[in-house]
Amino acid sequence: MCGIVGYVGDGQAAPFLLEGLTRLEYRGYDSAGIAVYDGEKIRIEKSVGRLSELKKKIEGNVPVGSTGIGHTRWATHGRPSDMNAHPHADCHGDFAVVHNGIIENYMTLKEDLIAKGHIFVSETDTEVLAHLLEEVYDGDFESSVRKVLSMVEGSYSLVFMSRRDPGMLICSKQDNPLVIGLGDGENFIASDIPAIINRTRRTYILSDGEIAVVKKDAIWVTNHAGEPITKKVFEVNWNAEAAEKGGYEHFMLKEIHEQPKAVRATLSSRLAKDDSAVVLDELKWNRGFLDSVNRIFIVACGTAYHAGLVGKYYIERMARIPVECDIASEFRYRAPIVDDHTLTIVISQSGETIDTLAALKEAKRLGSRTLAVTNVVGSSIARDADQVIYTWAGPEIAVASTKAYTTQLIVMLLIALYMAGIKETMPQKRIAELIRGAREIPTQIGKTLEDVDPIKTFAKQYGFNEDVFFIGRSLDYDVALEGALKLKEISYIHAEAYAAGELKHGTLALIVEGVPVIALATQKSVYEKTLSNIKEVKARDAVVIGIAAEGDTELKKYADHVIYVPEADEMLIPLLTVVPLQLLAYYAALTRGCDVDKPRNLAKSVTVE
Ligand code: AGP
């Protein structure tokens, strides 16, 4: 989604702005722009398309100046165009602004401003911010911005610059992320840490409602009432290299291969040495607390939602507490039955997904206790939830989520085992068995990644099919959903996942000769049933690619090909079966020449509704 950068310092602004925006490219965007104060005026340059278009446009004539802002836009109000790209300015070019989010009352404000004589040039909601500042500006930049913010409704992270106040940027946020990078004789602003990580690891993470005035040698933060706020420096504990490709062709492939490390890190120090228990110091729950919880909601979007489905299965099976798993954008509007006996677990890699954040706020409003599972320390979701468990996956850059998913599964497993230990709903022996099994998972994922040639071959063979079906039962179905999403989002192949038993209630009509069906068959309790479903699709001449555990001798009798993953407990095997599905999606996307890391229309962090 949109990216924001800002620079004020002794150096040149434009090189940082372009570099920072490049590092935010993974978020997805359709146009880009920068504004730099050149000593006389604010020079704005923008272009629809990739950043390379903007760079081409200003080649040999890069804006000169040491205060600037930049933006990559993902269209919401108005189509992608040069005009609609940010930064936006007021009528006289005195102010420029970049903005992520949506100004919900922009139409009313715009009509009012037009009536007062302001001339608008774009279709965006953002442009009202610049004109509004022009309208209320009284010579005091900071108090004027405060006034503007008091008039707008909606979600935002934004940065203003002013020709009348050189060497100063003012930024603020509401429901959208914003960080300030602390440099030496220079300071940076960004919507996301990767934009500044090459320059500094010392940051201030802004909270909702905070307004920061950023100069090259001073920063002060206040709330909307103008009261000062003391910020703690947050040291980023990963480096620029972690956010780079490290020799892989794509971030997605790198991140798939990072899964053993990410899962190991997420498990580390959370398992008792003797395998007797899960240690979650973050939670410190007791029997009294868990007995008071009569219902759990797991709320998330996309891949995180799929991890939630597995979480539901784990918690119900192990801790025997009823769990509902909900899509965040549905949960928040469906008047869910939530009270103070409810625990709401939200899962979000980025910690910034607006629907998940809003669902979290709604759950809190209704009296629920809340727990966030997220990958980003200091993210909005991490800060809003009562408690947090981090997945230690490291930065995930590719739009398609991979290592975040596997680490989310691990965290859900840990939570379920932790609950089961406290509630004594599972024999101790079984808890220890699963902990030992979990310890093996990183190595087993590594093994799954060793021989990718058959997967490459299938991707080439079936990569041009228009429809692919994924089937499975129980946990296999949950993984099938994730496999189908991966294939859709990066290869643009129409893919659907079905609970295998549901096929003959409609979907079987679509199964004709040559249609690829990817069938997961790892769950013992429903194994025979799954085989029957596979036979049904085979009888319609589908091409079946089976996914099974090593040692399975049956599936190959019915499937055209079988991909084997190491043998593991059926509770844990989703952590392995998802890997070939991620790779299949990756190689299918390559076969079709798709932009793997930045699939069309999608953004890494979805910060608009
Ligand atoms: C996954 O591949 C997606 N691109 C997407 O579904 C993602 O998981 C979803 O938008 C939620 O993001 P979050 O985990 O950052 O909240």
Side-chain angles (χ1 to χ4, degrees), residues 395-416:
E396 191 180 69
I397 307 291
V399 166
S401 194
T402 52
K403 61 178 180 171
Y405 174 77
T406 37
T407 54
Q408 284 160 358
L409 292 198
I410 278 293
V411 167
M412 295 318 292
L413 175 77
L414 293 175
I415 293 173

Side-chain angles (χ1 to χ4, degrees), residues 300-305 347-353 356 381 396 398-402 404 408 482 485-486 489 602-606:
C301 303
T303 288
Y305 168 72
I347 309 178
S348 172
Q349 185 284 128
S350 62
E352 301 296 348
T353 301
T356 311
I381 286 175
E396 191 180 69
V399 166
S401 194
T402 52
Q408 284 160 358
E482 175 57 9
L485 176 63
K486 279 302 79 99
E489 70 175 326
L602 298 181
K604 181 64 183 164
S605 183
V606 183

Side-chain angles (χ1 to χ4, degrees), residues 19 48 89 154 184 207 244 316 393 404 424 442 447 467 501 505 526 556 599 606:
E19 173 198 324
V48 72
D184 195 7
S207 294
E244 278 162 10
E316 288 192 337
E424 298 174 22
K447 283 201 183 118
D467 304 288
H505 299 286
V526 286
K556 64 174 184 231
V606 183

Side-chain angles (χ1 to χ4, degrees), residues 103 129 142-158 160 170-175 206-212 221-229:
I103 304 300
L129 295 166
E142 186 182 350
S143 71
S144 303
V145 167
R146 187 165 284 117
K147 192 152 184 206
V148 168
L149 296 179
S150 71
M151 297 164 82
V152 300
E153 288 161 20
S155 63
Y156 53 79
S157 50
L158 49 78
F160 284 106
I170 301 187
C171 58
S172 185
K173 68 150 265 173
Q174 183 63 46
D175 295 333
L206 279 199
S207 294
D208 283 351
E210 291 180 346
I211 301 170
V221 182
T222 54
N223 61 16
H224 276 233
E227 294 154 348
I229 291 170

Side-chain angles (χ1 to χ4, degrees), residues 134-396:
E134 178 180 33
E135 184 62 30
V136 304
Y137 186 79
D138 58 5
D140 181 337
F141 189 19
E142 186 182 350
S143 71
S144 303
V145 167
R146 187 165 284 117
K147 192 152 184 206
V148 168
L149 296 179
S150 71
M151 297 164 82
V152 300
E153 288 161 20
S155 63
Y156 53 79
S157 50
L158 49 78
V159 191
F160 284 106
M161 65 186 291
S162 161
R163 185 168 67 93
R164 306 202 210 165
D165 307 84
M168 184 193 272
L169 296 175
I170 301 187
C171 58
S172 185
K173 68 150 265 173
Q174 183 63 46
D175 295 333
N176 274 261
L178 204 62
V179 293
I180 300 171
L182 312 178
D184 195 7
E186 55 185 1
N187 287 309
F188 313 91
I189 298 173
S191 52
D192 216 353
I193 289 169
I196 54 173
I197 190 72
N198 221 17
R199 301 292 187 107
T200 180
R201 285 161 76 170
R202 303 181 69 240
T203 64
Y204 287 154
I205 296 177
L206 279 199
S207 294
D208 283 351
E210 291 180 346
I211 301 170
V213 177
V214 183
K215 295 176 143 192
K216 68 174 185 180
D217 45 12
I219 297 171
W220 62 93
V221 182
T222 54
N223 61 16
H224 276 233
E227 294 154 348
I229 291 170
T230 311
K231 299 295 291 180
K232 269 214 305 237
V233 174
F234 172 72
E235 291 272 353
V236 180
N237 62 3
W238 44 273
N239 55 21
E241 208 176 78
E244 278 162 10
K245 284 189 203 153
Y248 286 93
E249 201 181 334
H250 294 98
F251 281 113
M252 182 181 177
L253 191 60
K254 177 187 175 227
E255 287 158 10
I256 290 173
H257 281 266
E258 281 173 346
Q259 289 181 107
K261 185 172 148 214
V263 168
R264 201 170 279 123
T266 304
L267 279 174
S268 83
S269 74
R270 286 168 169 164
L271 303 176
K273 283 208 172 67
D274 62 358
D275 297 334
S276 62
V278 163
V279 185
L280 288 179
D281 285 335
E282 302 93 322
L283 301 185
K284 295 209 171 62
W285 287 344
N286 55 31
R287 182 72 189 249
F289 168 68
L290 286 182
D291 284 348
S292 75
V293 173
N294 60 16
R295 186 210 297 250
I296 294 176
F297 277 101
I298 300 179
V299 186
C301 303
T303 288
Y305 168 72
H306 294 156
L309 292 172
V310 176
K312 168 185 160 73
Y313 187 91
Y314 285 165
I315 293 172
E316 288 192 337
R317 281 293 285 268
M318 299 181 202
R320 309 307 291 162
I321 304 175
V323 182
E324 272 190 58
C325 190
D326 229 332
I327 291 169
S329 54
E330 291 294 318
F331 175 86
R332 55 185 293 202
Y333 294 118
R334 72 172 178 85
I337 302 171
V338 171
D339 59 24
D340 57 358
H341 292 289
T342 310
L343 170 68
T344 304
I345 304 177
V346 293
I347 309 178
S348 172
Q349 185 284 128
S350 62
E352 301 296 348
T353 301
I354 195 84
D355 286 320
T356 311
L357 181 60
L360 167 65
K361 289 185 173 169
E362 178 64 359
K364 275 179 91 169
R365 193 185 66 79
L366 295 168
S368 173
R369 272 75 60 88
T370 56
L371 166 66
V373 176
T374 181
N375 195 35
V376 181
V377 177
S379 57
S380 305
I381 286 175
R383 279 177 294 138
D384 260 33
D386 300 330
Q387 292 180 295
V388 190
I389 301 187
Y390 289 107
T391 50
W392 297 120
E396 191 180 69

